[in-house]
Each structure stands twice: as structure tokens, then as C-alpha cells.
Amino acid sequence: MPSPKDNELLATLTETELDELATFLESDAAPIQSMDISMLHGFLTAQLVGPEELAPDSWFGLVWGEHGEKPEWESRAQQEHIEGLILRLYNHLTDELNAEPPSFTPMVYLDQERNLDIVQQWCYGFMLGTSLNQRGWQPMMDDEDAVQLISPILDCADEDARNQAQAEGEDLAQFEHNLAAALPEVIPTIREYWQEQSEARASRPGRGNRTRH
């Protein structure tokens, strides 16, 4: 797998390249359990805004499934190209989150009939991303105020929560649309929470400084 530090991986993805990646993720060459582009975007976002940024080697294989599935590559060149697009999306997200102010936008689908954003797949990806470091994310889950940032994402991804909301008369499509509209502010705020937690730990007496990459 190429390194996310390689210079060629720093170029911004074009719309054509994003379409190419999205098409491959849903092609017959990709395992049936592969993430789609929206789920991948949510998954990568969780890696970048959480308590610690995990190395790509620790999560990259999950793009294709949770049981070691691999695409049917036509060639080594195709493999390097598609993997490079994924890592460039990762780096593009980093740039969006580091911008002042952050320019983060979730990559979601559109219900054209109702003109509403569909964010469920994105939320699936985000929560899968948090599951790689459940212990690390737990302080936010235990914080009565901070958990309000992530609970709508969790509820959107959780089938039981969705079924209960629907039984109570909630319009899930409108809920997803409203959540998609809120994420450009929610995601940077989640990141700020973890940055503040890291700074607080580093400033405690008797503890060494912790570097965030």
C-alpha cells in the first residue's frame, strides 16, 4: 500500500476521480462487502477527528470488508491507482479539517424525489471508524454534553434507534437531511473536543506531552 506521505498523494481529487473511485467501490471487481463512497467518507472522517489518528495500515483493509476480502484487481497498476485515490481522499479530508475555518462537507447521497440528503451510509462508516478504538472514544460517550454531538450519528446508523424513531412518528428522511446539514459544524466540533482532551492530558503534572499527528 502506498504511504499517505508520498508527494503524489497530496494532489486534490477531481470530480472525475471521485466518480471513478465511487464506481469501482460498487463494481463487480470490489468485494460485495466493500464500502460505498459515502460510507468510506464517513469512515475516513472518524479516523481524522477522534481521540487518536490511527495509521492507514490499521484500517485500510476494512474498506473492502471486515473479513479480509480483497478486490479482483486487473493489474498491480490498477490496485496502486485505486488505493492512491482512497489515500488522496483521506488527505483531502485532512486539508478540509485543517482549513481556517474548516471546510468539511460530508459526502452523502440525494433523494431526488424529495430533494433530501441521505446520510445513513455516511453514519455507518463513521461509527465503524469509531469501533476501531472504542476505548478511546468512550470518554465522549460518557460525557453528558459531548455525547450530544455524536448521538445523532449513532442513532442514524443504529437500526433499533431508527425503528423506534419511526414508530414514534419521526420522518427519518427529514432527520437524515437535517443531520447532513449539521455535520459541517458538528464534525469540527468533535475534533476540537478531542484536541482539548489531548491538551488537558499533556498539561497534567507528571505526564509527558502527547503528540497528535
Side-chain angles (χ1 to χ4, degrees), residues 61-157:
L62 290 175
V63 173
W64 311 119
E66 299 183 49
H67 304 289
E69 297 92 341
K70 296 183 183 299
E72 296 178 3
W73 303 111
E74 292 179 358
S75 64
R76 177 65 178 172
Q78 183 195 40
Q79 178 180 355
E80 291 179 351
H81 176 64
I82 295 298
E83 289 178 346
L85 293 180
I86 293 170
L87 291 174
R88 284 170 60 195
L89 178 58
Y90 177 86
N91 289 332
H92 177 72
L93 268 166
T94 301
D95 292 341
E96 286 187 335
L97 291 164
N98 286 338
E100 290 292 344
S103 59
F104 173 81
T105 303
M107 193 171 293
V108 299
Y109 298 112
L110 179 67
D111 178 344
Q112 294 184 342
E113 185 174 326
R114 297 185 63 184
N115 196 33
L116 297 176
D117 290 321
I118 303 170
V119 76
Q120 185 178 16
Q121 287 298 107
W122 190 95
C123 293
Y124 279 148
F126 190 91
M127 296 314 300
L128 177 60
T130 67
S131 73
L132 300 185
N133 186 11
Q134 289 182 334
R135 183 175 180 181
W137 280 88
Q138 197 58 46
M140 173 171 273
M141 305 299 183
D142 295 337
D143 186 318
E144 291 185 2
D145 294 324
V147 75
Q148 300 305 314
L149 293 169
I150 199 171
S151 59
I153 301 174
L154 191 154
D155 288 344
C156 183

Side-chain angles (χ1 to χ4, degrees), residues 34-46:
S34 294
M35 300 179 187
D36 61 24
I37 193 71
S38 184
M39 186 175 178
L40 174 62
H41 195 270
F43 180 74
L44 297 181
T45 300

Side-chain angles (χ1 to χ4, degrees), residues 180-200:
L183 286 175
E185 292 186 11
V186 168
I187 291 302
T189 305
I190 290 175
R191 192 185 194 212
E192 289 172 8
Y193 170 86
W194 288 114
Q195 289 173 333
E196 290 170 359
Q197 294 292 309
S198 178
E199 291 167 3

